[in-house]
Amino acid sequence: ECAITPKSIVQDACASYATLEKLNERVKPALDDLTRTTDFFSHYRLNLFNKRCPFWNDENGFCGNIGCAVETLDNEEDIPEVWRAKELGKLEGPLAKHPGKQEQKKNPKRPLHGELGEDVGESCVVEYDDECDERDYCVLEDETASSKGDYVSLLRNPERFTGYGGEGAKQVWDAIYRENCFQKSSFPHSANLGMSLNYNPAAQGFKQVLDAAGRQAQLHAQRAQYPNTPFVANTGYEVDDECLEKRVFYRVMSGMHASISAHLCWDFLNQTTGLWQPNLQCYKDRLHGYSDRISNLYFNYALLTRAVAKLGPYLRSSEYTFCTGDPSEDMATRAKVDEVTKKAGSIPQIFDEGLMFVNGEGPSLKEDFRNRFRNVSRLMDCVGCDKCRLWGKIQTNGYGTALKVLFEFDNNSEDIPALKRTELVALFNTYARLSESMRAIGKFKEMVVAEKNEN
Ligand code: FAD
């Protein structure tokens, strides 16, 4: 049974479940409108195909290429070809090229109307985003690849059931949770257990620093040193919850996982009827009995609400242009963003970021926290299904942007880091995903009650 009652307070956030649900009812229509009806927020540019999984060998049978890790459906040959995991995981709609840098430089002042492909509808997309800012929590999309990536319609590629799973998906989730093993004074950063690779920006590559046996030895050493460190049920990963920062890192990952589970259960393909519909058993298996997972999802909602609300005045004062090339469209997009940020800001202090990275070992954890978050964003290149990789990348970028806004935007500082278009699009779409997950979980709960009443 889900132990959460509406009055319960979401730990580490300052709001009850009921408050967040009510807020979601207010914000959701505006957020859906923004992400579904504007060109700016319904297209995402990313490098989906040109990057290799930097953490393990693509050829060793684990994930890392489209062909592997999609063998989870029983008797896949019995399923009509269009419903097979490989097909469901493919992207749909036109992919369009980013206008080349040369072209942008020729006429830097004029908004570019690049050849963005049929129906893509995006016009101004000039961005020089290969400069890295040390305050970023995510890896820039073009960090290792020469190509500027492709535009993808998010409306035509909704996040839903794809059939991706098995060893490949497990390996990615395993690696994500392992990032939670934070540095202890006697462990260097590169010893984040299991992630035995050191990123070397100059060489744009990874250096292996420990083999599997080394990792195992380290794990044992750490366990011996910290025997009371609790284990997370079911995952087996150590969650070091002695301070807020480490707890928040775990909650963000688990909340993202819970949100992905909610979507794939809500928008599930019934392979008998060929209809897309909610799958109650899927929800029961992954979320219903796990109040901690649902709590983490709500926590993420509070975190993103706070980031979006905080960003509102900044977007207003900087008169951020949504560069459609058409002033009236630009104004309409800005008005929609304004509506979302104001509604998100209607509950003051939903999450107090001022408590993080200040006390005890907090300040020294910030860089570690950022590095781990970047590792998670790199891990998205190991996701072996195109659509899952797309949404995995959007959501890690969305959380990374939220963290950047919360922890790197100081209202009294002149030096506010710039937000790139992809970061803004990711932030608002990740918020919309969480909003949709909360709604889906509410409906699933009603279905559970209805089922009980029937019996
Ligand atoms: P998994 O969801 O793979 O979970 C693995 C283990 O993690 C579980 O056994 C449990 O012990 C633990 N766990 C589960 N949930 C949580 C939680 N919230 N917090 C903490 N621990 C938890 N599939 C799709 O159909 N559509 C998608 O869009 C999609 N996107 C994905 C994106 C990414 C980045 C990844 C890595 C996978 C994605 N998948 C997607 C696959 C999906 O998440 C599952 O991995 C797959 O459905 C297999 O599920 P499972 O039941 O084996 O458990």
Side-chain angles (χ1 to χ4, degrees):
E1 279 302 300
C2 184
I4 297 168
T5 69
K7 280 193 180 155
S8 316
I9 298 290
V10 181
Q11 196 208 359
D12 298 322
C14 319
S16 70
Y17 289 84
T19 309
L20 293 176
E21 282 161 9
K22 246 189 221 143
L23 178 71
N24 194 32
E25 275 168 35
R26 273 207 305 279
V27 177
K28 194 170 187 304
L31 190 53
D32 287 347
D33 186 44
L34 176 72
T35 50
R36 290 177 190 170
T37 67
T38 64
D39 287 342
F40 188 93
F41 285 98
S42 62
H43 294 87
Y44 192 67
R45 198 207 59 196
L46 79 168
N47 208 319
L48 202 56
F49 304 108
N50 299 336
K51 287 172 148 186
R52 289 175 68 103
C53 170
F55 294 106
W56 50 81
N57 188 349
D58 289 351
E59 287 146 29
N60 68 0
F62 289 117
C63 123
N65 61 57
I66 295 166
C68 76
V70 287
E71 308 297 331
T72 53
L73 302 175
D74 291 341
N75 303 324
E76 176 122 359
E77 324 73 68
D78 299 340
I79 297 167
E81 205 161 333
V82 287
W83 297 340
R84 291 183 193 171
K86 209 168 159 183
E87 285 302 312
L88 293 174
K90 269 190 194 160
L91 289 181
E92 281 160 28
L95 287 178
K97 285 258 166 280
H98 187 270
K101 213 167 187 178
Q102 287 311 320
E103 209 179 320
Q104 292 176 19
K105 279 188 176 155
K106 266 191 242 156
N107 204 344
K109 283 196 182 144
R110 202 185 115 249
L112 266 181
H113 295 264
E115 291 289 306
L116 290 171
E118 226 184 302
D119 294 331
V120 173
E122 170 136 18
S123 28
C124 170
V125 280
V126 182
E127 31 180 20
Y128 298 98
D129 54 0
D130 40 9
E131 289 117 38
C132 194
D133 187 320
E134 61 183 20
R135 293 166 294 191
D136 285 341
Y137 284 71
C138 267
V139 180
L140 296 177
E141 268 306 325
D142 46 6
E143 189 187 46
T144 52
S146 53
S147 145
K148 295 294 283 180
D150 295 304
Y151 277 86
V152 177
S153 160
L154 302 181
L155 300 179
R156 294 182 69 161
N157 295 287
E159 186 191 19
R160 60 184 179 182
F161 173 76
T162 62
Y164 173 53
E167 270 309 302
K170 189 173 180 319
Q171 191 174 12
V172 178
W173 285 124
D174 280 2
I176 288 174
Y177 289 113
R178 266 199 302 270
E179 278 301 319
N180 196 58
C181 299
F182 269 77
Q183 170 181 348
K184 288 284 186 180
S185 47
S186 56
F187 286 98
H189 171 70
S190 59
N192 49 347
L193 306 169
M195 203 51 67
S196 56
L197 298 144
N198 241 358
Y199 187 64
N200 177 349
Q204 293 199 332
F206 288 79
K207 191 167 110 236
Q208 190 133 7
V209 293
L210 275 179
D211 60 11
R215 288 204 309 268
Q216 217 33 46
Q218 242 182 14
L219 185 57
H220 284 125
Q222 195 180 37
R223 282 197 191 135
Q225 194 178 354
Y226 303 99
N228 298 325
T229 310
F231 274 72
V232 184
N234 299 313
T235 56
Y237 305 117
E238 285 171 281
V239 69
D240 203 331
D241 62 355
E242 65 190 8
C243 74
L244 176 67
E245 293 79 4
K246 298 172 187 179
R247 209 162 56 227
V248 164
F249 188 93
Y250 174 76
R251 300 195 78 177
V252 170
M253 298 308 148
S254 168
M256 175 173 84
H257 194 167
S259 180
I260 290 173
S261 301
H263 291 129
L264 75 91
C265 295
W266 184 253
D267 215 348
F268 194 90
L269 179 69
N270 179 331
Q271 278 151 357
T272 313
T273 61
L275 294 175
W276 288 91
Q277 55 193 200
N279 181 332
L280 187 59
Q281 191 55 47
C282 173
Y283 162 74
K284 285 183 186 165
D285 292 344
R286 294 167 194 246
L287 294 168
H288 191 62
Y290 301 93
S291 56
D292 57 323
R293 296 180 188 174
I294 294 183
S295 161
N296 294 337
L297 191 152
Y298 275 64
F299 171 81
N300 282 3
Y301 186 82
L303 187 101
L304 261 80
T305 300
R306 170 70 189 131
V308 165
K310 186 172 175 182
L311 194 59
Y314 164 78
L315 290 176
R316 253 166 262 141
S317 70
S318 65
E319 291 184 8
Y320 193 93
T321 44
F322 294 94
C323 48
T324 56
D326 170 352
S328 65
E329 199 181 323
D330 208 49
M331 229 162 69
T333 305
R334 191 169 318 125
K336 288 177 186 198
V337 171
D338 223 38
E339 199 184 339
V340 172
T341 57
K342 280 186 177 145
K343 285 189 166 157
S346 61
I347 299 182
Q349 274 317 62
I350 210 162
F351 173 82
D352 188 358
E353 70 272 18
L355 297 174
M356 281 183 71
F357 305 119
V358 284
N359 298 319
E361 57 177 334
S364 64
L365 283 177
K366 196 168 180 182
E367 203 191 329
D368 203 15
F369 190 99
R370 224 189 270 122
N371 283 334
R372 283 162 197 287
F373 208 90
R374 286 186 190 148
N375 267 355
V376 171
S377 83
R378 289 185 185 106
L379 271 165
M380 293 304 122
D381 283 309
C382 306
V383 173
C385 135
D386 293 349
K387 257 185 215 159
C388 313
R389 187 160 64 254
L390 165 68
W391 283 103
K393 281 182 172 231
I394 292 173
Q395 289 172 86
T396 43
N397 191 357
Y399 290 116
T401 305
L403 296 170
K404 186 167 159 181
V405 172
L406 293 180
F407 303 120
E408 313 297 335
F409 275 49
D410 176 353
N411 289 338
N412 302 317
S413 166
E414 298 275 289
D415 181 27
I416 286 182
L419 280 191
K420 296 169 197 79
R421 177 186 177 279
T422 45
E423 290 178 307
L424 270 187
V425 176
L427 176 67
F428 282 90
N429 273 282
T430 304
Y431 192 32
R433 292 285 73 208
L434 284 167
S435 161
E436 182 68 17
S437 307
M438 275 173 57
R439 193 192 63 101
I441 287 173
K443 298 263 179 219
F444 273 132
K445 280 185 185 161
E446 286 170 17
M447 286 160 75
V448 171
V449 172
E451 195 184 57
K452 258 193 197 150
N453 291 342
E454 267 173 33
N455 298 330

